[in-house]
Amino acid sequence: MDDEQQGGAGRLALFLGLVLILLAVAVAFAAAIGDYRIGMGTVFLAVTNGLGLTSAEIPPIEQSVVWDLRLSRALVAALAGAGLAICGAILQALLRNALAEPFVLGISAGASTGAVAVIVLGIGAGSLTLSMGAFAGAFAAFALVAMLSNGATSGPNHTILAGVAASQLFNALTSSIVTTSGNAQQARDVMFWLLGSFGGVRWPDFQLLVLVVSAGLALCLFMARSLDAFTFGDEDAAALGVPVGRTRLILFAATALMTATIVSMVGTIGFVGLVVPHAARYVVGPLHLRLLPACAAVGALFLVLADIASRVVAHQQTIPIGVVTALVGVPFFAIILYRARPQT
Amino acid sequence: MSVIAQNLIWGVRRRTIVNDVSLTVAEGETLGLIGPNGSGKSSLLRLLAGLKSPGSGRVEILGQDIARVSRRALARQVAFVQQNATTDTNMSVRDVVRLGRTPHRSPLTGWTMADEAAVSTALEQVDMAGLRGQAWQTLSGGERQRVHIARALAQSPRVMFLDEPTNHLDIHHQIEILRMVRRLDLTSIVALHDLNLAAMFCDRIVVLQGGRVVACGVPAEVLTRSLLRDVFRVEAEVTPGPYPGQPHIRFMAA
Ligand SMILES: Nc1ncnc2c1ncn2[C@@H]1O[C@H](COP(=O)(O)OP(=O)(O)OP(=O)(O)O)[C@@H](O)[C@H]1O
Ligand SMILES: [Mg+2]
C-alpha cells in the first residue's frame, strides 16, 4: 500500500472515529432530553441496567423512559439514517445522477400507498399490519420500476423515468384513497406518517432494522469496487469486468429492501439520502469502500440530531422528522454546493 | 490467432449496422480499423470486445468463445478504450487509472504491489505520471484520453481495443501513443481516422463501409487512390513513404 492510500485510510479512520463519538453523545442526549428531563448520570445507569451490566437503584419510570422509549427510538433513528444514506450513495452511483436518493425508484410512494390503504381502508388493525402494508406497497413500486426498465438493464435515465412514473401512479392512488374515504383524524395520521415519525418505535423495530441495515451495508461493501467501476457509465463498467445487469439488479433490490423496511417503520424521511452522500463524498472522496461507511456514520448522526431537534423545538409537541431534515438539510446542502462549486 | 470474428451481424430494428464481418488478428499484431463516419467501426469494436452481443456470428479471443466467458475473466485479458467517456464524479487521475485493476481484484483483497506497479507503469507510459494527483475533470481533452489509455494498460490486457484513441492528442502524443501500442507485447485493434497514422503504425488495415469489410491487408495494398475515392470520397495522391510498406497520402483540394 502506498502512502497516499494510507493517508486516505487514516483520514477515514479519524473521521469515522469522530463521527461515532459524536453519535454516542447525541444518542445519550436523545435519551436524556424530552418533556420529562432525565439527568445524564441516570441515563447512563439506565442503559447499563438495561444491558444487564449493573442493577443500580433508579426510579422505574426513568428506567423505562430511557430504556424502553428513548434509547430504542434514538437507535432506530441512527439506523434509519445510516440505511437511507447508504441507499442514496448506491443509487447516485448506479444511476450516475447527483439527484438520486432512496425514493427515486418510487419506493416511498409505494410504501405510502400501502400504509394509507391500511390506515384508511382499515385492512386489518395495529402497527404490524401498517408496516406490512407499507412494505408490500414499496415492493410493488419497485417491481413496477424494475419491469418498466427491463429488469434494470436499460440504463440510468430509463430507470429514473420509470421511477418517476411509478411515484406518480402511487401518489395518485394515495391521494384518491385519502380523499375518497378519509376522515379528518385519519388524514392527520396519514400526513404525519408521510412526513416521517419515530413515535412508537420499540426494540423489535431496532432488532429488525439492525439486521437489515448491517446486511445491506455488508453486501454493498462487498460490491464497492464494482460500484466504483460505474464511474464512467454502464458500458465502461462492463469493460472493467462487472456483470452490469446482475450488479444493478442486486444493488437495486438491496436498496429497495432497506428503504422499504425503514419506510414501513418510520415513514418517509426525505433529504437524508440525498444530502449525506454528498457531504461524505466531500470529506472522504468518491471511492465506495470509504464512502459507504462514512455515509452510514454521518447519516446516523444526522437523523439522531434531527430527532432531538424535532422534540425540543416546539414545546410539548413533536414536529414531523421529515420537516426537520429538510429545514436543517437545505442550508447545510447549500454550503456543500457552494464549497464544491467548480473553480472557474 | 488472438482474435477471430466469424460472420458478425448486428443491427437495430430493420437496419443492419455490422454486416457479415469476419476477421482474424494474430498475436501481437496491430490492426487498424478505418472507414467513414457511421461505417460501424465503434459498433464492431464493441462486438469484438463483448460489450454487445451480435445478432449472429461469434467472436473468439485467445481461443475462447467470448459469449461463454464471464465478464470478469474476459476483462482480465481484454481492455477497451472508449471513444469518449465522461463522468461527473470528482476523481483523481490516480483513482481513475486504479479502476483498471478492478478485474484483477477480489472484494476482499487489498491493494497489492503488483497493482501499484501496473498503475505507475501505465501512467508513465502515457506520460501522465506528473499529473497523477490532479482531478480528472480538470484535465484537458488529450490528457483525459491518455488517462483512459493508461487505465486500459493498467488492466494488463493481452488484447486491447482502442476507439479513436488519438483524436484529441497533439501530434507528439499521437505518434508516441500509437508507437507504444504497437511496441507493446499485445494484440491491438485500433479505430483511426487519420489514414497516415494508420499507414505508419498498423500491421494490417481493415476498411469498413456501410458495416461491411471492403478491403483488408497491409497498408500499401489497402490504401490506394481508388479506394480513397470510392470509400472516403476524396482525391488523394498516394506515394511510397520514407519507410517500406508505409504509403504516404496527400489529399488534394477538388
Ligand atoms: N444503438 C444504436 N441505435 C441506432 N443506430 C445506431 C446505434 N448504434 C449505432 N448506430 C448507427 O450505426 C452506425 C454506425 O455507428 P458507429 O458508431 O459504429 O460508427 P463509427 O464508424 O464508429 O463512426 P465514427 O467514425 O463517427 O465514430 C451509425 O450510423 C449510427 O447512427
Ligand atoms: Mg466511432
Side-chain angles (χ1 to χ4, degrees):
Chain A
M1 223 186 253
D2 62 356
D3 24 303
E4 288 146 350
Q5 232 201 350
Q6 265 175 359
R11 191 179 158 129
L12 175 70
L14 195 71
F15 179 71
L16 277 184
L18 193 74
V19 174
L20 290 178
I21 290 170
L22 288 176
L23 179 63
V25 174
V27 168
F29 264 101
I33 285 170
D35 290 334
Y36 183 69
R37 266 174 208 272
I38 297 172
M40 273 297 179
T42 318
V43 167
F44 183 77
L45 288 176
V47 171
T48 50
N49 281 353
L51 290 172
L53 298 176
T54 55
S55 46
E57 291 283 321
I58 55 172
I61 173 86
E62 301 201 344
Q63 172 71 36
S64 168
V65 165
V66 169
W67 182 255
D68 293 325
L69 299 181
R70 291 185 187 164
L71 188 64
S72 54
R73 176 185 177 126
L75 292 178
V76 165
L79 285 170
L84 290 172
I86 294 167
C87 292
I90 303 279
L91 291 170
Q92 284 167 13
L94 285 184
L95 300 175
R96 297 223 296 152
N97 190 314
L99 290 176
E101 44 113 19
F103 303 138
V104 78
L105 298 178
I107 292 168
S108 70
S112 305
T113 307
V116 167
V118 171
I119 295 176
V120 175
L121 303 178
I123 307 166
S127 69
L128 189 66
T129 40
L130 180 89
S131 300
M132 296 210 324
F135 196 85
F139 256 84
F142 173 67
L144 180 67
V145 171
M147 215 172 65
L148 287 178
S149 55
N150 301 332
T153 51
S154 51
N157 288 339
H158 204 101
T159 312
I160 290 176
L161 290 177
V164 170
S167 297
Q168 295 288 344
L169 173 68
F170 282 95
N171 284 337
L173 283 177
T174 306
S175 304
S176 72
I177 296 173
V178 171
T179 48
T180 52
S181 50
N183 61 36
Q185 178 55 39
Q186 280 179 339
R188 263 181 67 105
D189 286 353
V190 168
M191 201 56 202
F192 205 79
W193 194 81
L194 288 181
L195 289 169
S197 159
F198 290 120
V201 296
R202 296 289 180 271
W203 284 116
D205 299 309
F206 170 81
Q207 284 156 5
L208 177 59
L209 205 51
V210 91
L211 218 76
V212 170
V213 171
S214 41
L217 178 60
L219 175 75
C220 296
L221 281 176
F222 192 74
M223 300 182 87
R225 296 215 177 106
S226 306
L227 274 168
D228 292 338
F230 280 87
T231 305
F232 289 92
D234 288 8
E235 189 168 83
D236 206 54
L240 289 172
V242 176
V244 171
R246 197 175 72 202
T247 305
R248 282 165 71 93
L249 199 59
I250 292 175
L251 287 170
F252 279 152
T255 52
L257 180 67
M258 279 197 269
T259 312
T261 310
I262 293 167
V263 171
S264 70
M265 283 177 197
V266 299
T268 45
I269 302 172
F271 231 70
V272 185
L274 176 65
V275 179
V276 171
H278 287 290
R281 214 174 274 121
Y282 187 68
V283 182
V284 302
L287 295 179
H288 288 86
L289 215 49
R290 288 179 207 161
L291 180 62
L292 292 173
C295 280
V298 175
L301 178 63
F302 182 74
L303 262 200
V304 173
L305 291 178
D307 182 40
I308 295 176
S310 80
R311 288 188 288 142
V312 298
V313 170
H315 192 61
Q316 296 283 335
Q317 273 203 13
T318 303
I319 307 173
I321 186 76
V323 173
V324 178
T325 53
L327 287 180
V328 179
V330 172
F332 184 59
F333 200 39
I335 295 172
I336 299 173
L337 281 181
Y338 182 75
R339 296 277 312 260
R341 73 195 185 285
Q343 307 292 322
T344 44
Chain B
M1 283 294 141
S2 188
V3 179
I4 302 172
Q6 289 170 345
N7 307 100
L8 290 179
I9 298 182
W10 180 78
V12 279
R13 291 185 200 97
R14 293 265 189 80
R15 193 171 156 210
T16 307
I17 291 165
V18 173
N19 198 347
D20 199 18
V21 171
S22 300
L23 52 82
T24 57
V25 194
E27 188 99 40
E29 194 178 18
T30 300
L31 181 78
L33 205 54
I34 62 173
N37 290 141
S39 56
K41 301 181 295 296
S42 299
S43 307
L44 177 59
L45 284 177
R46 289 199 181 96
L47 290 175
L48 293 174
L51 298 175
K52 277 187 174 129
S53 358
S56 72
R58 64 199 286 267
V59 179
E60 218 174 81
I61 292 183
L62 303 167
Q64 284 175 303
D65 184 342
I66 60 167
R68 289 158 193 239
V69 187
S70 78
R71 278 246 58 93
R72 194 168 128 91
L74 191 61
R76 285 196 212 133
Q77 313 211 296
V78 178
F80 189 90
V81 179
Q82 283 195 59
Q83 194 164 3
N84 37 35
T86 58
T87 182
D88 289 336
T89 307
N90 186 16
M91 230 187 216
S92 70
V93 166
R94 187 189 331 108
D95 285 340
V96 171
V97 177
R98 276 193 175 146
L99 288 180
R101 299 305 295 168
T102 307
H104 297 280
R105 303 173 75 190
S106 81
L108 301 176
T109 53
W111 185 252
T112 64
M113 301 287 273
D115 291 329
E116 187 57 37
V119 168
S120 313
T121 314
L123 278 167
E124 271 152 29
Q125 281 174 317
V126 300
D127 200 9
M128 284 294 292
L131 296 181
R132 48 167 49 220
Q134 194 169 329
W136 185 85
Q137 284 179 313
T138 61
L139 296 178
S140 76
E143 288 166 347
R144 288 181 183 191
Q145 209 155 23
R146 276 147 62 197
V147 170
H148 269 88
I149 295 166
R151 204 192 71 180
L153 292 173
Q155 226 170 310
S156 313
R158 290 178 63 196
V159 178
M160 191 145 101
F161 296 97
L162 301 105
D163 196 353
E164 291 175 38
T166 55
N167 60 352
H168 285 295
L169 301 187
D170 61 49
I171 187 67
H172 168 77
H173 285 108
Q174 288 184 8
I175 291 175
E176 278 307 302
I177 294 281
L178 288 176
R179 200 212 304 267
M180 176 193 77
V181 166
R182 182 174 197 175
R183 240 196 269 136
L184 283 174
D185 189 20
L186 48 74
T187 309
S188 43
I189 301 181
V190 194
L192 285 172
H193 273 303
D194 188 317
L195 304 181
N196 280 311
L197 284 177
M200 280 166 75
F201 292 107
C202 298
D203 298 314
R204 275 190 311 139
I205 292 178
V206 164
V207 185
L208 281 185
Q209 186 181 29
R212 286 180 183 278
V213 176
V214 292
C216 174
V218 296
E221 280 172 20
V222 169
L223 297 169
T224 60
R225 196 169 172 162
S226 64
L227 180 123
L228 294 175
R229 188 186 299 130
D230 295 345
V231 176
F232 291 93
R233 292 180 293 161
V234 289
E235 289 300 327
E237 203 177 69
V238 183
T239 53
Y243 301 102
Q246 296 181 1
H248 181 75
I249 300 164
R250 252 185 63 222
F251 299 102
M252 292 185 288

